[in-house]
Amino acid sequence: MSWTNPKTWVLNEALTASDLNTYVRDNFSYLLNRPADIFTGSASDRTLVTITSTTPVAVNNVNTLSINIASTRVEIWVFARVAIDATRLGRLDVFVDNSYYVSSLTSTALTNGLWADRAISANGPKASFKVILDGLTPGTHTFQLRAWVNAGQIIIAIANLQFGVKEV
Amino acid sequence: MNIPRNLLVGEGLTITKLNRYVRDNTNYLFSRPMRVVTSRNLSNLIVTSPTPVPIDDSLYALKITMVGNEAKIWIKGLFMTDNATTTQGAAFDFLIDNFFYASSMNSSPHTRGLTFVLGKTTANYEQSFYCETIVQNLSPGIHTFKPRWFRLIGSTATLIRSGALFQVGVMEI
């Protein structure tokens, strides 16, 4: 169901079935199931995506998310299991509309992106976070998960990954 | 938001009621009260206090007007300690209405706050943290949520804002 901005009823206006269907049925259906797109790795997918780039690159095997929103804000989340080489710094960020990063709101990610971790030893920290992104225009937007390291590598387990976006 | 009421048999369905209970309430649910503050690439902050102190109330004090009784609060940041031990770190919490902490629901926070971020075994190693919780039994009306932090066991804790995103928020749910 699509969202239609609620109308103001005026004096002597007839209450029509069409209005009730649009402004009550459809809008409440929309609010019950707000736009969302979620990538959840299959438990049987043993793919480990290795990234050695020192600048942000897309995480292979993870879908670019797309939602058509009526409001201006979304919640973005990542739950992942990653491994980073000892002493190295791994980072994650989300690239919006092939244009800008959530961390910086510009085409260049902040140094530490949206999530960062410097590993004591080659290990598997959990990368779990949510963030609200506001100021979007109503319409369709895309969200791509990106990763990079300062040196060495970051390995992302697809089976343990969820990457999502939802209008809020 | 207007508390939905029962319409009675024979009661007129007026434009006032339609606008109040359909238009206004639908708009309210579409844009629930939310306050989010996001810092990007500001200078780092250091805490040495063993008791809760503001992170920066001039920036991060959140205020919303609620109709319901529950709010989701969250804090997201990047952190490190200057000591190489996992027994040290910092705790984060929210002071609500200048009166009680989200961790304890009373005027003293839990020993380790709402979330406790341990240092790593190498000093100055960065680690992201995220904490989200739901506060219940709030009264309808205006509420303030102020992020607090304190260090534990002698470490100096740094909230890394340089080259990083720091976000706190509250949303009625």
Side-chain angles (χ1 to χ4, degrees):
Chain A
M1 290 294 177
S2 61
W3 170 262
T4 306
N5 286 330
K7 69 174 288 184
T8 298
W9 277 276
V10 298
L11 196 61
N12 295 324
E13 180 178 3
L15 181 60
T16 66
S18 174
D19 275 356
L20 284 173
N21 290 336
T22 298
Y23 299 108
V24 179
R25 181 196 62 190
D26 294 352
N27 277 356
F28 278 97
S29 293
Y30 181 91
L31 292 172
L32 188 63
N33 291 298
R34 298 188 78 146
D37 194 7
I38 301 169
F39 171 84
T40 302
S42 167
S44 61
D45 188 340
R46 311 308 296 174
T47 303
L48 299 175
V49 178
T50 299
I51 290 171
T52 58
S53 175
T54 55
T55 57
V57 294
V59 179
N60 290 336
N61 298 60
V62 178
N63 296 345
T64 294
L65 308 179
S66 177
I67 62 170
N68 186 1
I69 60 174
S71 78
T72 60
R73 64 192 185 198
V74 296
E75 181 177 67
I76 301 166
W77 67 92
V78 173
F79 299 117
R81 181 174 62 84
V82 304
I84 303 165
D85 285 356
T87 77
R88 305 307 187 188
L89 190 56
R91 295 129 167 170
L92 300 172
D93 210 329
V94 176
F95 197 49
V96 182
D97 295 338
N98 285 316
S99 173
Y100 64 92
Y101 289 90
V102 173
S103 70
S104 63
L105 299 181
T106 73
S107 59
T108 304
L110 289 181
T111 306
N112 293 300
L114 269 183
W115 177 92
D117 191 279
R118 189 182 296 273
I120 295 293
S121 57
N123 62 5
K126 291 182 176 62
S128 300
F129 66 86
K130 294 181 181 177
V131 67
I132 294 289
L133 176 62
D134 204 351
L136 293 164
T137 55
T140 299
H141 295 279
T142 62
F143 303 84
Q144 182 184 64
L145 182 63
R146 293 192 168 188
W148 70 107
V149 288
N150 68 335
Q153 63 185 13
I154 180 172
I155 299 172
I156 300 169
I158 296 300
N160 301 106
L161 174 70
Q162 184 173 84
F163 170 44
V165 59
K166 183 178 180 69
E167 179 184 282
V168 293
Chain B
M1 177 73 182
N2 306 287
I3 304 301
R5 48 160 296 193
N6 293 325
L7 295 173
L8 305 175
V9 174
E11 178 181 353
L13 185 57
T14 64
I15 59 171
T16 299
K17 292 171 188 168
L18 283 171
N19 291 333
R20 177 177 297 164
Y21 297 111
V22 178
R23 180 198 61 189
D24 294 350
N25 283 0
T26 310
N27 275 327
Y28 186 90
L29 294 172
F30 183 72
S31 298
R32 285 173 180 265
M34 176 188 288
R35 175 73 175 134
V36 181
V37 178
T38 306
S39 295
R40 291 177 166 89
N41 209 21
L42 299 182
S43 58
N44 295 346
L45 297 175
I46 294 173
V47 68
T48 56
S49 171
T51 57
V53 292
I55 294 179
D56 183 347
D57 281 349
S58 68
L59 273 180
Y60 304 120
L62 309 170
K63 181 165 71 174
I64 62 169
T65 302
M66 298 173 54
V67 171
N69 305 105
E70 295 185 344
K72 180 174 79 173
I73 54 178
W74 67 92
I75 183 167
K76 178 193 180 309
L78 185 63
F79 172 86
M80 65 183 181
T81 59
D82 67 350
N83 284 304
T85 169
T86 55
T87 63
Q88 301 181 337
F92 294 83
D93 211 326
F94 280 89
L95 178 63
I96 301 173
D97 297 336
N98 293 315
F99 181 62
F100 63 96
Y101 287 90
S103 65
S104 61
M105 299 301 280
N106 65 46
S107 57
S108 298
H110 273 318
T111 306
R112 297 195 171 190
L114 198 59
T115 188
F116 175 50
V117 188
L118 289 166
K120 293 197 172 191
T121 53
T122 302
N124 301 320
Y125 266 32
E126 305 93 332
Q127 56 178 317
S128 288
F129 67 95
Y130 177 81
C131 173
E132 169 185 312
T133 193
I134 291 172
V135 182
Q136 298 178 290
N137 302 317
L138 293 167
S139 59
I142 297 173
H143 294 282
T144 59
F145 302 81
K146 297 177 179 177
R148 296 287 182 263
W149 66 329
F150 52 100
R151 58 98 172 135
L152 282 88
I153 319 176
S155 59
T156 295
T158 299
L159 178 65
I160 303 170
R161 298 190 302 175
S162 176
L165 178 148
F166 176 65
Q167 184 176 89
V168 293
V170 57
M171 178 184 187
E172 181 180 339
I173 57 171

